[in-house]
Amino acid sequence: MRYAFHDQLDGVFTDLAAICRRVEEAVRLATEALLTGTADVAERVISGDVEIDQARERVEDTAFSLLSLQAPVAGDLRVVVAALRMVSELERMGDLSVHVAKIARLRTPNIAVPEQARPIIARMAEVAEDMVSRTAAIIAERDVDQAAELRRDDEEMDGLRRASFAELLGDDWTAGVEAAVDVALLGRYYERIADHAVSVAGRVVFVVTGETMAS
């Protein structure tokens, strides 16, 4: 019975890694739509979010079944509870990708990001996608060392966010208020994707070690 239980737990982590890879694809496509002004790519992200939602529901169903039927304790309980929290954060990352795609769709056939903000937003998107990709590997491999390293990327993201604000508030900003609002929102969305990635990685550390990841 316990062997079957642990097989199911391993399956939950496999499913979590698969959801994270879906999120990675959503981030990539949302960024593509944003920087190219391609409406159909934005629509793919928006319509595809239902698959992430459905995958979240399947993980939740499995986790609740394990809680009710197996009554796990100690370390096993920690894993199940962490999985429930992780899948919620992964779904939120997918939602944030949809927000990016909706800004892209709103401005098509124009491009939402003005040229002077493009380098910062493009880099934020690149960092976010890389962090999501690494988070998928951290989940799949339960890699504590990689989880700790992810914080360095988050520090870069925080720096990019500050730089984007400095640009928006600078005297050289010429793209207008509407573009400034778009860029401010986009910076927030990418920053939050990164924050959730770090949080998920921290939950993996908790699952493996029983300790929270150091700040």
Side-chain angles (χ1 to χ4, degrees):
M1 178 69 75
R2 302 308 291 176
Y3 287 119
F5 172 70
H6 285 108
D7 282 346
Q8 286 178 293
L9 276 184
D10 288 341
V12 166
F13 268 73
T14 299
D15 291 341
L16 288 171
I19 293 171
C20 198
R21 286 189 287 270
R22 286 182 181 272
V23 171
E24 178 190 356
E25 177 74 354
V27 174
R28 185 186 68 78
L29 290 174
T31 301
E32 179 185 336
L34 181 70
L35 298 180
T36 63
T38 310
D40 61 338
V41 175
E43 290 292 351
R44 283 176 60 190
V45 177
I46 295 164
S47 63
D49 189 56
V50 67
E51 296 178 4
I52 294 175
D53 294 343
Q54 290 170 346
R56 182 215 73 211
E57 291 171 3
R58 289 194 294 272
V59 167
E60 288 180 341
D61 288 346
T62 300
F64 287 129
S65 175
L66 290 172
L67 286 172
S68 62
L69 298 178
Q70 301 290 344
V73 296
D76 290 341
L77 178 61
R78 185 172 72 225
V79 174
V80 177
V81 172
L84 283 168
R85 291 178 175 171
M86 288 163 66
V87 77
S88 177
E89 297 210 57
L90 292 171
E91 182 197 25
R92 183 58 185 148
M93 291 158 74
D95 291 341
L96 289 161
S97 300
V98 169
H99 293 337
V100 172
K102 285 183 175 179
I103 288 180
R105 183 180 65 178
L106 179 65
R107 303 303 177 202
T108 56
N110 299 317
I111 295 175
V113 182
E115 281 299 321
Q116 66 188 109
R118 190 180 180 96
I120 288 178
I121 293 298
R123 180 57 186 162
M124 291 183 86
E126 184 179 4
V127 171
E129 183 182 342
D130 181 64
M131 290 180 71
V132 177
S133 175
R134 291 168 62 191
T135 300
I138 289 166
I139 295 169
E141 300 165 17
R142 303 195 197 185
D143 191 324
V144 172
D145 292 333
Q146 277 198 64
E149 291 173 4
L150 203 65
R151 279 199 178 277
R152 287 200 289 269
D153 284 341
D154 193 43
E155 290 171 4
E156 180 183 358
M157 180 66 85
D158 291 342
L160 288 165
R161 177 75 165 141
R162 290 191 295 271
S164 70
F165 271 123
E167 185 157 17
L168 291 175
L169 297 173
D171 293 336
D172 294 336
W173 182 259
T174 59
V177 174
E178 185 177 84
V181 171
D182 285 344
V183 170
L185 288 172
L186 289 165
R188 179 59 174 164
Y189 297 152
Y190 284 121
E191 181 187 41
R192 290 300 297 150
I193 289 170
D195 288 344
H196 283 298
V198 170
S199 182
V200 170
R203 296 191 192 284
V204 173
V205 172
F206 182 64
V207 164
V208 174
T209 68
E211 299 176 357
T212 57
M213 189 162 63
S215 300

